[in-house]
Amino acid sequence: MIRKGKYAMHNGSEYSFSLLEDKSIRLISHKPADLSQGFKHLDENIYIKNVSVEEVGNFFKINSKAIYKREMFRASEERKTGKVLLATTNTELAKKMGFERTDKYMYSKSVEWDEVEIIEEREPYSLD
């Protein structure tokens, strides 16, 4: 799974989250085991738990990238195929690596998981 977005620590685990109107935090999990931690089943494989800001540890943002053939690319997971989708705006690199043009300035390529190394870049996130 390629993670992107806002995350928070709660009881020693990392969860994606959203800030609710009442300034509480909605933690989001995809693990049925979190039902034992007070999460509620919301949808197919989505579990949620609302907590106060004080119950959450540090907040951070994750941006995942992939190393493919010794080059770094933006990465996401293709929902339909489950493969890793690589993207770049670098025309020369895209041509060299066999990427397809998908937009005016964007090139992409689907690859298997064992062809890449996923790197998570983390930075602090503030609720302010």
Coordinates of all heavy atoms in Angstrom, one line a residue, residues 65-75 84-87 93-94 96-99 108-119:
K65 N 7.2 8.1 -2.7 CA 7.9 8.2 -4.0 C 8.5 6.8 -4.3 O 8.5 5.9 -3.4 CB 9.0 9.2 -4.1 CG 8.5 10.6 -3.8 CD 9.4 11.6 -4.3 CE 8.7 13.0 -4.1 NZ 9.4 14.1 -4.6
A66 N 8.8 6.5 -5.5 CA 9.4 5.2 -5.9 C 10.7 5.3 -6.6 O 10.9 6.2 -7.4 CB 8.4 4.4 -6.7
I67 N 11.6 4.4 -6.3 CA 12.9 4.4 -7.0 C 12.7 3.2 -8.0 O 12.4 2.1 -7.7 CB 14.1 4.1 -6.1 CG1 14.2 5.3 -5.1 CG2 15.3 3.9 -6.9 CD1 15.3 5.0 -4.0
Y68 N 12.8 3.6 -9.3 CA 12.7 2.7 -10.4 C 13.9 2.8 -11.3 O 14.1 3.9 -11.8 CB 11.4 3.0 -11.1 CG 11.2 2.2 -12.4 CD1 10.9 0.8 -12.4 CD2 11.2 2.8 -13.6 CE1 10.7 0.1 -13.5 CE2 11.0 2.1 -14.8 CZ 10.7 0.8 -14.7 OH 10.5 0.1 -15.9
K69 N 14.7 1.8 -11.5 CA 15.9 1.8 -12.3 C 16.8 3.0 -11.9 O 17.2 3.8 -12.8 CB 15.5 1.9 -13.8 CG 14.8 0.6 -14.2 CD 14.5 0.6 -15.7 CE 13.8 -0.7 -16.1 NZ 13.6 -0.8 -17.6
R70 N 17.0 3.2 -10.6 CA 17.9 4.2 -10.0 C 17.4 5.6 -10.2 O 18.2 6.5 -10.0 CB 19.3 4.0 -10.5 CG 19.9 2.7 -10.0 CD 21.3 2.6 -10.5 NE 21.3 2.3 -11.9 CZ 22.3 1.8 -12.6 NH1 23.4 1.6 -12.0 NH2 22.2 1.6 -13.8
E71 N 16.1 5.8 -10.6 CA 15.6 7.2 -10.7 C 14.4 7.3 -9.7 O 13.7 6.3 -9.5 CB 15.1 7.4 -12.1 CG 16.2 7.4 -13.2 CD 17.1 8.6 -13.1 OE1 16.8 9.6 -12.4 OE2 18.1 8.6 -13.8
M72 N 14.1 8.5 -9.2 CA 13.0 8.7 -8.3 C 11.8 9.3 -9.0 O 12.0 10.2 -9.8 CB 13.4 9.6 -7.1 CG 12.3 9.6 -6.1 SD 12.7 9.8 -4.4 CE 14.3 9.4 -4.1
F73 N 10.6 8.7 -8.7 CA 9.4 9.2 -9.4 C 8.3 9.3 -8.3 O 8.3 8.7 -7.3 CB 8.9 8.2 -10.4 CG 9.8 8.0 -11.5 CD1 10.7 6.9 -11.5 CD2 9.8 8.8 -12.6 CE1 11.6 6.7 -12.6 CE2 10.7 8.6 -13.7 CZ 11.6 7.6 -13.7
R74 N 7.3 10.2 -8.6 CA 6.1 10.2 -7.8 C 5.4 8.8 -8.0 O 5.4 8.3 -9.1 CB 5.1 11.3 -8.3 CG 5.7 12.7 -7.8 CD 4.7 13.8 -8.2 NE 5.1 14.2 -9.6 CZ 4.4 14.9 -10.4 NH1 3.2 15.3 -10.0 NH2 4.9 15.3 -11.5
A75 N 4.8 8.3 -7.0 CA 4.2 7.0 -7.0 C 2.8 7.0 -6.4 O 2.5 7.7 -5.4 CB 5.1 6.0 -6.3
V84 N 2.0 -0.4 -9.3 CA 2.5 1.0 -8.9 C 2.5 1.8 -10.2 O 3.0 1.5 -11.2 CB 3.9 0.9 -8.4 CG1 4.4 2.2 -8.0 CG2 3.9 -0.1 -7.2
L85 N 1.9 3.0 -10.0 CA 1.8 4.0 -11.1 C 2.9 5.1 -10.8 O 2.8 5.7 -9.8 CB 0.4 4.6 -11.2 CG 0.3 5.7 -12.3 CD1 0.4 5.0 -13.7 CD2 -1.1 6.4 -12.2
L86 N 3.8 5.1 -11.8 CA 4.9 6.1 -11.7 C 4.5 7.3 -12.5 O 3.9 7.2 -13.6 CB 6.2 5.5 -12.1 CG 6.7 4.2 -11.5 CD1 7.9 3.7 -12.1 CD2 6.9 4.4 -10.0
A87 N 5.0 8.5 -12.1 CA 4.7 9.7 -12.9 C 5.8 10.7 -12.9 O 6.6 10.8 -11.9 CB 3.4 10.4 -12.3
L93 N 13.5 11.9 -19.4 CA 13.5 10.8 -18.6 C 12.4 9.8 -18.9 O 12.6 8.6 -19.0 CB 13.5 11.2 -17.1 CG 13.5 10.1 -16.0 CD1 14.8 9.3 -16.1 CD2 13.4 10.7 -14.7
A94 N 11.2 10.4 -19.2 CA 10.1 9.6 -19.5 C 10.3 8.8 -20.8 O 10.0 7.6 -20.9 CB 8.8 10.5 -19.7
K96 N 13.2 7.9 -22.1 CA 14.3 7.0 -21.8 C 13.8 5.7 -21.0 O 14.2 4.6 -21.3 CB 15.4 7.6 -20.9 CG 16.5 6.8 -20.4 CD 17.5 7.6 -19.6 CE 18.0 6.8 -18.5 NZ 18.8 7.6 -17.6
M97 N 12.8 5.9 -20.2 CA 12.2 4.9 -19.3 C 11.0 4.2 -19.9 O 10.4 3.3 -19.3 CB 11.9 5.4 -17.9 CG 13.0 5.9 -17.2 SD 14.0 4.5 -16.6 CE 15.0 5.3 -15.3
G98 N 10.5 4.7 -21.1 CA 9.4 4.0 -21.7 C 8.0 4.4 -21.1 O 7.0 3.7 -21.2
F99 N 7.9 5.6 -20.6 CA 6.7 6.1 -20.0 C 5.8 6.6 -21.2 O 6.2 6.9 -22.3 CB 6.9 7.3 -19.1 CG 7.4 7.0 -17.8 CD1 8.4 6.1 -17.6 CD2 6.9 7.6 -16.7 CE1 8.9 5.8 -16.3 CE2 7.3 7.3 -15.4 CZ 8.3 6.4 -15.2
S108 N 3.4 8.8 -17.5 CA 3.3 7.8 -16.5 C 3.5 6.4 -17.0 O 3.6 6.1 -18.2 CB 1.9 7.8 -15.9 OG 0.9 7.5 -16.9
K109 N 3.8 5.5 -16.1 CA 4.1 4.1 -16.4 C 3.6 3.2 -15.2 O 3.9 3.5 -14.1 CB 5.5 3.9 -16.7 CG 6.0 2.5 -17.0 CD 7.4 2.4 -17.4 CE 7.8 1.0 -17.9 NZ 9.2 1.0 -18.4
S110 N 3.0 2.1 -15.5 CA 2.6 1.1 -14.5 C 3.7 0.0 -14.4 O 4.1 -0.5 -15.5 CB 1.3 0.4 -14.9 OG 0.2 1.4 -14.8
V111 N 4.1 -0.3 -13.2 CA 5.1 -1.3 -13.0 C 4.7 -2.2 -11.9 O 3.8 -1.9 -11.1 CB 6.5 -0.7 -12.7 CG1 7.0 0.2 -13.9 CG2 6.5 0.2 -11.4
E112 N 5.3 -3.4 -11.8 CA 5.1 -4.3 -10.7 C 5.8 -3.8 -9.4 O 6.8 -3.1 -9.5 CB 5.6 -5.7 -11.1 CG 4.9 -6.3 -12.3 CD 3.5 -6.6 -12.1 OE1 3.0 -6.8 -11.0 OE2 2.8 -6.7 -13.2
W113 N 5.2 -4.3 -8.3 CA 5.8 -3.9 -7.0 C 7.2 -4.3 -6.8 O 8.0 -3.6 -6.2 CB 4.9 -4.5 -5.9 CG 3.6 -3.8 -5.7 CD1 2.5 -4.1 -6.3 CD2 3.4 -2.7 -4.8 NE1 1.5 -3.2 -5.9 CE2 2.0 -2.3 -5.0 CE3 4.2 -1.9 -4.0 CZ2 1.4 -1.3 -4.3 CZ3 3.6 -0.9 -3.3 CH2 2.2 -0.5 -3.5
D114 N 7.6 -5.4 -7.4 CA 9.0 -5.9 -7.2 C 10.0 -5.2 -8.0 O 11.2 -5.4 -7.9 CB 9.1 -7.4 -7.4 CG 8.7 -7.9 -8.8 OD1 8.4 -7.0 -9.6 OD2 8.8 -9.1 -9.0
E115 N 9.5 -4.2 -8.9 CA 10.4 -3.4 -9.7 C 10.8 -2.1 -9.1 O 11.6 -1.4 -9.6 CB 9.8 -3.1 -11.1 CG 9.5 -4.4 -11.9 CD 8.8 -4.0 -13.2 OE1 9.5 -3.5 -14.1 OE2 7.6 -4.2 -13.4
V116 N 10.2 -1.8 -8.0 CA 10.4 -0.5 -7.3 C 10.7 -0.6 -5.8 O 10.4 -1.6 -5.2 CB 9.2 0.5 -7.5 CG1 8.9 0.8 -8.9 CG2 8.0 -0.1 -6.8
E117 N 11.3 0.4 -5.3 CA 11.5 0.6 -3.9 C 10.7 1.8 -3.5 O 10.9 2.9 -4.0 CB 12.9 0.8 -3.5 CG 13.2 1.0 -2.0 CD 14.6 1.3 -1.7 OE1 15.5 1.2 -2.6 OE2 14.9 1.7 -0.5
I118 N 9.7 1.6 -2.6 CA 8.9 2.8 -2.1 C 9.6 3.5 -1.0 O 10.0 2.9 0.0 CB 7.5 2.3 -1.7 CG1 6.8 1.5 -2.8 CG2 6.6 3.4 -1.2 CD1 6.5 2.3 -4.1
I119 N 9.6 4.8 -1.1 CA 10.2 5.7 -0.1 C 9.1 6.6 0.4 O 8.5 7.3 -0.4 CB 11.4 6.5 -0.7 CG1 12.4 5.7 -1.4 CG2 12.0 7.4 0.3 CD1 13.2 4.8 -0.6

